[in-house]
Amino acid sequence: MLTNPVIETLMNRKSIRKYTDQAPVDEVVETVVRAGQQAPFAYQMGSVLLSRKRAKNPFKAPLFFIVCVDAHRHEAIMAQRGWKMVQNDLSVLLLGMQDAAYMAENMVIAAESLGLGSCFLGGIPYRAEAFIKQYHLPPRVFPLVGLTMGYPAEKAAPRPRYPLEVTLGEGAYPEMDEAQVQRAMAEMDEGYLAQNYYRKLKAMIPLEDGREETFTYETYSWTEHISRKTGQWEQSPEALLEQLAKCGFHIPGFEAAK
Amino acid sequence: MLTNPVIETLMNRKSIRKYTDQAPVDEVVETVVRAGQQAPFAYQMGSVLLSRKRAKNPFKAPLFFIVCVDAHRHEAIMAQRGWKMVQNDLSVLLLGMQDAAYMAENMVIAAESLGLGSCFLGGIPYRAEAFIKQYHLPPRVFPLVGLTMGYPAEKAAPRPRYPLEVTLGEGAYPEMDEAQVQRAMAEMDEGYLAQNYYRKLKAMIPLEDGREETFTYETYSWTEHISRKTGQWEQSPEALLEQLAKCGFHIPGFEAAK
């Protein structure tokens, strides 16, 4: 693998959930968001909300960003040009989520390069209504992802990843054989166990439906953790569709199907 | 604004659509994808397809990646753990698209740092069926975005972006006043006109529904361009929903609404 200061920054990044008291100065905030803006894609449909109210922020982080899909600004500019949005909301979200996500990842990398740590929070869309109130969001703005940021008060090693062989396929999808499944799981599970990751976070997800617990923090690791999330949570799309609707985005057929 | 080699790389990145004949070596490809994998988020639901068949690739790029949302691999690993996916597809896509997008952006930045240029292609999901065939995709893999890559054979300046003042809001959404709308539009339109961007690409979008053309390449710029896309294209979600369904993802109510 090749390396240089940028690759090192990308490879060294890990989620940080403990922060020092040092408040990043305005120039740091502006650099992070400005570098975020320079990310490529379609419509620049990303906007960023910021709270520096540390006591109320997740992990008491000095900075708490919410990166939003912003069709409101887009439509205001279309109106100046004499146009109305006609594109369906699923397509708008498909492209707008990428605008916002590429921006958010640039923010993560810029922060890392300036010595700050960060942590993504993926549950934000399920609480969209609260952010509409808190930040006075107009319709057509969808809070996509949270991002805490500050100077690290914990040390951590980069987290493990799947082997490249099950991630990259040239000419064809990289279908796993049995041995590759085992190697991929071992890479992830042994890597997280070596970091004592879930024990430190006290993050074992309880079993539902009367399933009997057979794991301890000696054995509970990444593949079991993600399986419990997608094997137990959010069976119905209704909560997410309702939050989208509160933001003024309508997925076709939802009302019809209810 | 602060700077360092990483920030410079983020700020200097622009889409490149012309490439030299030089083929990136395997180690470059592996470094780019491996750096992509290290991006943070939820489930590592990103997979990457690669074509080096230059003659068939968009812009005849030496490398053409398709970054996919991959629930297939995720579910194979869940099965080993004795779990079945129960999470609804809208939630899976919400998180899986972010997994894939953060990965894709890291690939863009890693490539830039190694002297390669790249260009995102956002229309890939509308042609998912073709990629299912070409790459033998199993069900539950959704081609999210294309990414051409190679050594640049064109020079370009970074593209303009909205002013920070209409992108970042501390404590409240950054609602634009009239002057800010004008400044945001001027920043984008004058910036692209100064680069002769749309004229060079011959990219003026035709008007539909008998609207009369009043623009030339002297005046046609970014805000008109994006307005014509979202003001004319993809009014119905059906095409996208059908492609999602062919990939094995079902948005609730679609069948009911048809």
Side-chain angles (χ1 to χ4, degrees), chain B residues 197-210:
Chain B
Y197 183 84
Y198 294 100
R199 187 199 303 265
K200 279 189 202 165
L201 278 180
K202 299 188 184 71
M204 194 187 294
I205 295 171
L207 290 167
E208 298 170 10
D209 297 328

Side-chain angles (χ1 to χ4, degrees), chain A:
Chain A
M1 180 164 178
L2 301 167
T3 193
N4 63 37
V6 176
I7 304 285
E8 272 172 39
T9 302
L10 297 172
M11 294 304 291
N12 191 49
R13 197 271 172 190
K14 75 283 301 183
S15 294
I16 293 293
R17 298 181 179 84
K18 289 180 183 164
Y19 302 98
T20 71
D21 286 338
Q22 186 183 353
V25 297
D26 287 354
E27 201 173 16
V28 165
V29 172
E30 288 164 17
T31 300
V32 164
V33 180
R34 184 64 192 80
Q37 285 189 278
Q38 204 61 37
F41 206 51
Y43 300 130
Q44 287 196 56
M45 270 199 215
S47 285
V48 180
L49 309 170
L50 169 63
S51 162
R52 300 200 224 200
K53 294 185 178 169
R54 186 162 183 178
K56 291 188 179 177
N57 287 349
F59 314 131
K60 303 212 183 303
L63 306 177
F64 177 46
F65 297 103
I66 300 176
V67 182
C68 303
V69 180
D70 189 348
H72 171 79
R73 181 182 59 209
H74 184 90
E75 289 164 13
I77 284 172
M78 287 181 79
Q80 290 283 321
R81 285 271 167 226
W83 287 95
K84 277 192 177 173
M85 170 74 82
V86 302
Q87 197 159 101
N88 75 88
D89 281 356
L90 191 64
S91 292
V92 170
L93 286 169
L94 175 74
L95 294 178
M97 280 175 56
Q98 288 182 77
D99 274 332
Y102 299 140
M103 182 179 191
E105 181 60 12
N106 264 21
M107 290 172 65
V108 164
I109 300 308
E112 179 78 21
S113 80
L114 296 169
L116 288 88
S118 65
C119 185
F120 272 132
L121 297 174
I124 298 299
Y126 295 90
R127 297 192 287 133
E129 193 174 11
F131 298 116
I132 293 171
K133 279 186 197 153
Q134 185 182 343
Y135 290 97
H136 309 289
L137 301 185
R140 308 287 289 161
V141 178
F142 175 59
L144 176 66
V145 68
L147 183 59
T148 59
M149 204 175 280
Y151 293 97
E154 61 175 336
K155 293 209 178 216
R159 317 299 178 205
R161 291 294 185 265
Y162 285 135
L164 192 63
E165 63 178 4
V166 305
T167 301
L168 171 64
E170 181 163 358
Y173 177 80
E175 187 65 76
M176 298 184 287
D177 62 26
E178 182 60 31
Q180 286 174 318
V181 172
Q182 296 303 332
R183 276 204 295 278
M185 293 178 74
E187 189 80 17
M188 295 305 299
D189 289 338
E190 290 168 16
Y192 272 90
L193 282 170
Q195 294 191 17
N196 243 327
Y197 184 84
Y198 294 101
R199 189 199 302 265
K200 277 190 202 163
L201 278 181
K202 300 187 184 72
M204 195 188 292
I205 295 171
L207 290 167
E208 298 170 11
D209 299 327
R211 283 186 186 235
E212 194 186 346
E213 186 60 77
T214 59
F215 283 83
T216 68
Y217 280 119
E218 302 296 312
T219 52
Y220 183 88
S221 196
W222 194 79
T223 62
E224 179 67 17
H225 189 71
I226 60 162
S227 294
R228 291 187 183 191
K229 287 186 176 182
T230 53
Q232 298 190 131
W233 295 358
E234 297 299 336
Q235 299 194 28
S236 163
E238 203 150 324
L240 184 53
L241 286 162
E242 279 179 3
Q243 293 299 314
L244 279 165
K246 285 182 195 295
C247 297
F249 290 93
H250 298 276
I251 305 292
F254 174 53
E255 286 78 8
K258 262 176 109 168

